[in-house]
Amino acid sequence: MASRGTSGPPRGWLWLIPAASWIVPARLRSDWKRKRLEEVRHWWAFLAERGEESPGQQFEVLRHCRRSFSEAVKLRFQVDHVRERMGQFARGPVFAVLVCILPLAAIVLAGGFSSDIRKIYTPLPYGSGRLAMLSYAGGLGYPLGVPAQDLLVWRERSKSVEGLAYYISRPFNARRPPEPGEERNAQVSPDFFQVLGVRALLGRTLQPDDAPGATTNAVLSHFYWQERFGGDTGILGKTVTLGERPMRIVGVLPADFWFRSRNIHYWTPLRDIEPKDRRLRLYGAVARLQPEVTMELAQEELRRLASEQSGGPHGAGVRLLPVEHPGRSAMRTYIVGLALTLLLAAVIALAQISRAWWLSTEWKRRTTAIRYWSFFSLKTVFPAAAWSALCAQIVAANAVSLNPVLGLSLIISILYLLGLAGIVRFSYVDQRLRCPVCLRSLAMPVTMGSWSSWLLEPASTEFLCEQGHGSLYVSETHSSGTESERWENLDDSWRDLFKK
């Protein structure tokens, strides 16, 4: 610490102020330097007169001299003015629109223009409008398998179905990645690939006369053929050990083929369903409908046949759904959610515009209401679209991955609906605190009244438009006879107070 001088603070401290003054604009430099020097000298004289020249007080004087540089920078670049202008811009409508639009653009660009979503809507390698998944509706709409007896009846008596294949659904529900050395097998009816309309890349697919036995015929998935056998075309006809059992390789599937799961290593035939099979055994099922037969007609027929063979309303739970990427059902949640949000925003805006149109015959007031509530719709639409795009992108990326996380789609859907509700609520609350003329957020809140005097002087807050267009009175209690909100326009005599 510098030693104390007799007539004032140390010269080394005072030179900080003239040095900092060179940062100050030239027109203000002389007065600024003089005032800062006088402040320091008066401060030092005050401390000397009271005998309080302790090291701590001297250090405070030194810090004041050092702060001259930061004060000079603020003055040079008009930091306070810039901060004030930025605050005004942040409360304006342009900033609100940018905040609404930019996240949507960022999400779309970061997601590669939603490449994962496009993959979900890419036609499957076997799909057509005539393929349908068969199931029973379980709890909360979760699909259950089909009893063996129903499959027998449908295959024998249905006139709507051209082909009906079945499979054991358990392997397809395995969502965890395979362990090192683990081989995943899907057991399907021998006509499974014929119903799907899939041909082998090499060799052949399973045939109706294939059946499980001591040595079972098997078809390899393309990725497993490459991974284990190095793409060897000579593997056809050879017997290898798969899943600790001897398998004769009869074909290799195309590279783009997958069904329900991307982690199926090889496919083997199931035996034919026999009448002695118990109802408790459930299968997955896929059907190819006859030409010109709709899903609705086929579903009605299969329900009727199932009810007839069970002697009750058992078949009412039968469902037919198009064969499509499993991720599409999740995408519908975001499409419907966004559509409902847009509809809600439009209803609110139209109701408020109609109210203003009815209460006033002045064209200016009507156009102001249209502009004001159209802005509300804009603030709701773009954040809702951005939130929908983000949630859809997360779910789509999970759906197209090799090892999708089980239950993630449901969790994201719940968060999505809560987020939409929050967006609508925030947009409406923010809209209430905006000037109907310039659409700026109201500022300078003033608390009035008292919570202890609800009748005579109820608690309230008054907000003011920075441009002097008016003030908003918001009652904090609803027990008084006054309205909870009241907007008052300010006449031109008030405008001079708001000029900068």
Side-chain angles (χ1 to χ4, degrees):
M1 180 66 65
S3 60
R4 174 166 58 97
T6 56
S7 59
R11 289 180 178 270
W13 297 6
L14 294 179
W15 273 106
L16 294 173
I17 296 175
S21 67
W22 287 101
I23 303 176
V24 177
R27 70 181 189 281
L28 306 174
R29 186 175 301 149
S30 178
D31 289 342
W32 182 85
K33 180 174 66 173
R34 176 178 54 80
K35 290 180 180 179
R36 299 286 292 189
L37 290 172
E38 288 179 356
E39 288 177 0
V40 174
R41 290 192 179 106
H42 290 162
W43 189 357
W44 190 271
F46 176 77
L47 295 176
E49 181 179 349
R50 297 174 62 92
E52 298 178 355
E53 298 170 273
S54 64
Q57 291 290 348
Q58 293 181 32
F59 184 72
E60 287 299 321
V61 176
L62 175 59
R63 287 183 61 188
H64 183 73
C65 294
R66 290 174 177 173
R67 281 198 295 266
S68 298
F69 286 94
S70 61
E71 296 295 333
V73 170
K74 289 182 180 179
L75 195 59
R76 161 65 71 175
F77 297 103
Q78 299 181 338
V79 174
D80 292 337
H81 178 68
V82 172
R83 186 182 294 116
E84 180 182 358
R85 294 297 296 272
M86 289 180 63
Q88 293 177 351
F89 176 73
R91 291 189 289 272
V94 176
F95 178 78
V97 172
L98 290 177
V99 168
C100 294
I101 294 178
L102 291 180
L104 176 60
I107 292 170
V108 173
L109 291 175
F113 293 97
S114 305
S115 59
D116 291 332
I117 296 178
R118 293 202 306 273
K119 290 179 183 178
I120 288 179
Y121 285 93
T122 299
L124 294 174
Y126 44 81
S128 74
R130 295 168 55 201
L131 284 177
M133 300 291 298
L134 280 71
S135 66
Y136 274 83
L140 299 177
Y142 189 82
L144 299 178
V146 178
Q149 291 184 10
D150 288 354
L151 290 175
L152 283 173
V153 171
W154 292 340
R155 296 185 78 170
E156 293 174 359
R157 299 174 54 188
S158 175
K159 297 181 180 179
S160 300
V161 173
E162 181 180 284
L164 178 62
Y166 54 93
Y167 55 88
I168 294 179
S169 59
R170 179 182 53 80
F172 299 110
N173 294 331
R175 297 302 183 96
R176 64 174 177 81
E179 299 292 338
E182 179 184 2
E183 296 168 330
R184 293 247 174 106
N185 166 228
Q187 295 178 280
V188 299
S189 60
D191 60 347
F192 178 79
F193 295 101
Q194 284 72 35
V195 171
L196 290 184
V198 175
R199 295 183 178 180
L201 176 68
L202 295 174
R204 65 173 178 85
T205 59
L206 300 177
Q207 301 293 339
D209 56 349
D210 287 326
T215 301
T216 302
N217 291 340
V219 177
L220 297 177
S221 294
H222 188 275
F223 78 92
Y224 189 58
W225 173 57
Q226 294 283 348
E227 179 183 299
R228 178 172 173 180
F229 303 102
D232 180 16
T233 57
I235 193 66
L236 297 179
K238 292 184 178 179
T239 300
V240 298
T241 300
L242 298 176
E244 300 181 353
R245 293 181 56 194
M247 301 282 178
R248 182 185 297 109
I249 308 302
V250 298
V252 177
L253 295 171
D256 61 348
F257 174 81
W258 65 281
F259 183 83
R260 305 286 290 172
S261 172
R262 297 178 185 270
N263 278 323
I264 303 300
H265 295 83
Y266 61 98
W267 306 70
T268 55
L270 278 169
R271 64 177 176 83
D272 289 335
I273 296 176
E274 299 178 1
K276 64 181 181 180
D277 287 336
R278 298 287 184 179
R279 173 180 293 278
L280 294 179
R281 185 166 191 180
L282 302 179
Y283 294 87
V286 58
R288 180 174 292 276
L289 305 183
Q290 294 283 1
E292 308 301 328
V293 174
T294 65
M295 292 279 181
E296 292 76 14
L297 291 175
Q299 180 174 269
E300 183 62 29
E301 184 203 36
L302 297 183
R303 284 180 175 179
R304 177 177 54 80
L305 293 175
S307 297
E308 289 177 356
Q309 70 87 22
S310 65
H314 167 70
V318 177
R319 296 191 309 182
L320 266 71
L321 296 174
V323 175
E324 59 185 15
H325 196 292
R328 287 197 186 186
S329 59
M331 293 299 106
R332 294 190 189 99
T333 301
Y334 309 113
I335 296 173
V336 173
L338 179 59
L340 291 178
T341 303
L342 302 186
L343 178 62
L344 178 60
V347 168
I348 293 175
L350 289 175
Q352 295 292 344
I353 292 173
S354 300
R355 179 174 176 270
W357 204 275
W358 178 264
L359 294 177
S360 177
T361 58
E362 297 182 19
W363 181 252
K364 182 177 180 180
R365 288 181 179 272
R366 290 178 172 180
T367 55
T368 298
I370 294 174
R371 181 167 169 265
Y372 182 75
W373 289 105
S374 297
F375 180 66
F376 162 76
S377 299
L378 186 68
K379 284 192 309 174
T380 307
V381 167
F382 282 101
W387 180 238
S388 301
L390 177 62
C391 292
Q393 185 66 34
I394 294 174
V395 172
N398 180 66
V400 302
S401 66
L402 288 177
N403 304 299
V405 178
L406 184 64
L408 179 64
S409 176
L410 177 61
I411 295 174
I412 296 298
S413 296
I414 294 174
L415 295 177
Y416 169 69
L417 296 176
L418 293 175
L420 286 183
I423 288 172
V424 174
R425 183 181 184 279
F426 173 81
S427 182
Y428 186 76
V429 171
D430 177 74
Q431 190 69 12
R432 290 169 52 224
L433 298 179
R434 284 186 177 271
C435 173
V437 179
C438 63
L439 300 179
R440 292 178 176 272
S441 295
L442 300 175
M444 295 178 282
V446 177
T447 301
M448 301 180 297
S450 173
W451 284 95
S452 61
S453 179
W454 288 4
L455 296 177
L456 299 178
E457 194 178 7
S460 62
T461 303
E462 186 177 46
F463 298 88
L464 196 64
C465 173
E466 292 179 326
Q467 304 298 315
H469 295 125
S471 61
L472 177 68
Y473 169 90
V474 179
S475 175
E476 302 295 344
T477 65
H478 299 282
S479 60
S480 63
T482 60
E483 298 180 358
S484 59
E485 296 181 12
R486 184 175 68 252
W487 172 262
E488 293 183 358
N489 293 314
L490 298 179
D491 56 42
D492 294 338
S493 62
W494 291 86
R495 297 296 171 82
D496 292 338
L497 297 177
F498 298 92
K499 292 181 178 179
K500 299 295 183 182

